């Protein structure tokens, strides 16, 4: 499963995860869950997104990951 979930690998970390998507009342609900392996540490994350506006499908797909990546960068878990 670890190899299947691997999304990105650098010298500093390995990012693994899975996205999901549902709709409710014609609005998207999305999530991105996974973990980062960095040296001897493992950081787990789960991001759920329910936008207040109504983005296109393509925009919404990108939002789930970008918000999580930005948060991980702000926490200095990844560069």
């Amino acid at each position: 499963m670890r190899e299947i979930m691997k999304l990105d690998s650098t010298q500093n970390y390995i990012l693994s995860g899975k996205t999901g998507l549902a709709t409710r009342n014609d609005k998207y609900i999305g999530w991105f869950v996974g973990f980062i392996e960095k040296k001897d540490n493992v950081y787990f994350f789960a991001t759920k997104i329910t936008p207040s506006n109504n983005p296109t499908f393509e925009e919404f797909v990108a939002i789930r990951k970008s918000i999580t990546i930005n948060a991980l960068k702000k926490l200095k878990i990844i560069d």
Side-chain angles (χ1 to χ4, degrees), residues 14-76:
I14 299 171
L15 170 67
S16 300
K18 177 72 177 95
T19 59
L21 175 70
T23 57
R24 185 173 201 173
N25 299 326
D26 295 325
K27 293 207 177 222
Y28 294 119
I29 301 167
W31 53 91
F32 181 34
V33 296
F35 58 97
I36 299 233
E37 297 172 85
K38 185 176 179 182
K39 298 182 184 177
D40 293 332
N41 297 312
V42 178
Y43 302 90
F44 297 93
F45 61 85
T47 306
K48 177 185 172 250
I49 307 295
T50 308
S52 56
N53 60 357
N54 201 10
T56 66
F57 179 78
E58 292 77 17
E59 292 169 333
F60 188 76
V61 168
I63 289 169
R64 297 173 295 175
K65 280 186 176 178
S66 67
I67 287 173
T68 304
I69 297 299
N70 286 338
L72 294 168
K73 286 179 179 178
K74 191 164 194 143
L75 293 168
K76 299 189 186 311

